[in-house]
Amino acid sequence: MLFQFTESQDLSISKTYLKLIISQFYIRKVIKVMFPYHNSVMSKAISLSRSVPCAGDCALRDVWRRNIHRRVICIILSPNKREQFLPMSVVLISTVDKGGNRNIAPYANVIPILRPLDSVAIASWLRRDTLDNIRDTKEFVINVPSADLVNEVMICSRNYPTGVDEFAVANLSAKASQKVTAPSIERCIARMECTLDREVTEEGKYSIIIGKVVHLEVDDRYLAENEDMDFERARPLSMMLGETGMYYTVPAGTGDYRRYAEMFIGDN
């Protein structure tokens, strides 16, 4: 029994006690569903529910926190939540329009197309100055910023009117490109000059630009002795999306290096 009364006590139960009894009943039911094979969890839940005179959800919440390691609960996410769990690289794409006006815009939906890096894909909203410029001039530059350029990335992300020069607004210096007309951006880790190969459009939704890489240069300060990127020194910018904003991140090593050859069975 949840409560015991002596003969001399008034057996009329107040509304407060009645609510507590009901909440304890539901705690037992819910815990049995969530943790059917863990008697210790069940006993903790019941014990806690007896000692907490607030609503049953308080007891249940505490039990959940204490025992979450015992059972992994899979949450089905709505479509607008799904992108929050995929790390995304951040780049700055520089272009010029037909009149020679410069433009910079940050993008996170950039995908190298296998190896070697001859082609790259960019997913874009249809209403973007960058997309219009790429269609008109057939070229663009993908610049890889470090974490030191977070403020400049945010400045370039704003929805300025067409024709605004983000180089000037964000106080970024232009660098003459080697193979394309669009300028590159100084202070970036790497600059990838591209020409438009083809475009795949989902009418009314998005466009995927496939570019051919015609020139790629890297700041040698961020290269290790074997010419691999020293990512801990370079700190290339990436991000995780949240409910109302973005969490900017950088890669961190695990201390575990593996050779490509390990992926091929029978190779040494």
Side-chain angles (χ1 to χ4, degrees):
M1 292 179 62
L2 294 175
F3 297 98
Q4 293 182 350
F5 299 92
T6 62
E7 292 181 359
S8 61
Q9 288 178 303
D10 184 0
L11 296 181
S12 63
I13 302 174
S14 67
K15 291 183 179 180
T16 301
Y17 285 126
L18 183 59
K19 289 180 180 179
L20 181 58
I21 291 173
I22 294 172
S23 68
Q24 290 169 342
F25 172 78
Y26 281 107
I27 287 172
R28 290 171 180 249
K29 293 291 185 182
V30 173
I31 292 296
K32 283 181 179 180
V33 172
M34 293 193 302
F35 305 101
Y37 305 111
H38 297 288
N39 293 328
S40 61
V41 176
M42 184 65 186
S43 62
K44 285 182 181 180
I46 296 171
S47 174
L48 185 60
S49 67
R50 288 172 177 168
S51 62
V52 180
C54 65
D57 61 335
C58 297
L60 179 57
R61 189 160 52 245
D62 194 39
V63 171
W64 176 264
R65 288 177 182 149
R66 292 171 183 269
N67 298 280
I68 190 64
H69 65 281
R70 296 178 180 270
R71 174 70 63 87
V72 176
I73 306 299
C74 295
I75 306 299
I76 298 175
L77 299 175
S78 59
N80 66 320
K81 300 275 189 181
R82 293 171 183 168
E83 72 270 15
Q84 297 182 20
F85 297 90
L86 186 65
M88 307 175 78
S89 299
V90 176
V91 302
L92 292 170
I93 298 182
S94 51
T95 59
V96 293
D97 63 17
K98 290 183 292 186
N101 298 306
R102 304 179 301 183
N103 180 271
I104 303 174
Y107 274 76
N109 299 101
V110 177
I111 309 167
I113 300 179
L114 303 180
R115 301 175 64 214
L117 184 49
D118 292 330
S119 299
V120 62
I122 302 169
S124 175
W125 297 111
L126 294 177
R127 297 183 63 181
R128 295 294 297 269
D129 289 341
T130 297
L131 179 58
D132 293 339
N133 293 346
I134 292 173
R135 286 170 170 170
D136 291 339
T137 65
K138 315 299 182 190
E139 58 184 33
F140 55 96
V141 181
I142 297 174
N143 305 270
V144 180
S146 71
D148 296 332
L149 294 178
V150 167
N151 288 334
E152 288 80 357
V153 167
M154 287 304 302
I155 291 172
C156 292
S157 71
R158 295 170 185 159
N159 58 334
Y160 300 107
T162 299
V164 169
D165 185 350
E166 283 84 359
F167 278 94
V169 176
N171 196 27
L172 289 168
S173 299
K175 182 181 186 297
S177 298
Q178 301 297 310
K179 302 285 187 178
V180 299
T181 304
S184 301
I185 303 175
E186 292 277 13
R187 296 168 56 198
C188 283
I189 299 166
R191 294 162 283 271
M192 190 184 311
E193 300 176 24
C194 304
T195 57
L196 176 61
D197 184 13
R198 60 189 179 277
E199 178 182 2
V200 180
T201 301
E202 179 69 17
E203 199 61 39
K205 293 184 179 180
Y206 59 82
S207 173
I208 297 177
I209 292 291
I210 299 177
K212 179 181 179 182
V213 180
V214 295
H215 181 77
L216 193 155
E217 60 183 42
V218 181
D219 189 327
D220 64 0
R221 292 177 299 171
Y222 304 124
L223 293 179
E225 291 184 2
N226 63 355
E227 295 191 346
D228 285 353
M229 179 189 282
D230 185 341
F231 55 83
E232 292 186 338
R233 187 193 310 167
R235 301 172 71 228
L237 190 61
S238 57
M239 71 177 183
M240 297 290 294
L241 300 180
E243 179 69 22
T244 60
M246 302 159 287
Y247 300 95
Y248 282 110
T249 61
V250 294
T254 65
D256 193 5
Y257 175 81
R258 299 300 180 94
R259 297 170 59 245
Y260 295 128
E262 294 184 47
M263 298 187 293
F264 301 96
I265 297 175
D267 289 357
N268 296 320

